[in-house]
Amino acid sequence: GTLNDLRKNAAFVFSAQAADGMSLEPIRFNIRVQLDRKPQVKFSEPSEELVVTPTTEVPLLVEADDDLGLFKVGIMYQVNGGPMESLLEQNADGSTELFRLPSELLLEQHQLSHQDAVNYYAFAEDNYFGQPRRTTTPLRFIDIRPFKVAFQLLDTGGT
């Protein structure tokens, strides 16, 4: 026999009888199903808050793992509310070990100014009953600051 798509614990009783009438005493089998947890994904780099100039090369390091096998890890980014774009996607080949995905977001390619916004997130996918199941990090933001910031010291007589 074949057991398909077990998502809950189950108990089965097997018995057999030959053509000559000889029979096998029924045997009970219990199957305990281990649930497939969602993949885990996080950024190791950069720190949560990031303030950079428009030409910065932002190093990114994503770490992901899964209990039964990781299949894809990637980084998505968006500039100024435009479409979400893939920075990098990599096949993890069913890995159950910690998977590290290094990359760089090259801001200079986007000709940004201090008025622009960049956000990004990472994702990890496993295979859940033949369908990809995706987990994502929270959306992160990059603040762009001008190349030159001028400060002025004022003598206002305050305390």
Side-chain angles (χ1 to χ4, degrees), residues 15-99:
S15 61
Q17 185 171 0
D20 64 1
M22 187 174 170
S23 64
L24 174 69
E25 289 292 320
I27 300 173
R28 181 177 172 91
F29 287 94
N30 293 314
I31 298 175
R32 197 175 109 233
V33 175
Q34 177 183 342
L35 296 178
D36 181 10
R37 293 188 307 267
K38 290 182 178 181
Q40 303 292 314
V41 62
K42 68 176 185 173
F43 278 100
S44 294
E45 291 180 31
S47 61
E48 188 101 9
E49 290 189 25
L50 193 59
V51 180
V52 299
T53 62
T55 58
T56 302
E57 296 176 359
V58 179
L60 303 170
L61 179 59
V62 174
E63 292 182 344
D65 65 348
D66 187 59
D67 56 343
L68 299 179
L70 195 59
F71 285 90
K72 189 188 293 184
V73 179
I75 302 169
M76 304 292 289
Y77 75 99
Q78 179 181 45
V79 176
N80 291 329
M84 201 53 88
E85 296 181 43
S86 175
L87 178 65
L88 179 65
E89 286 186 17
Q90 190 166 340
N91 186 341
D93 297 321
S95 173
T96 56
E97 302 294 320
L98 182 65
F99 189 87

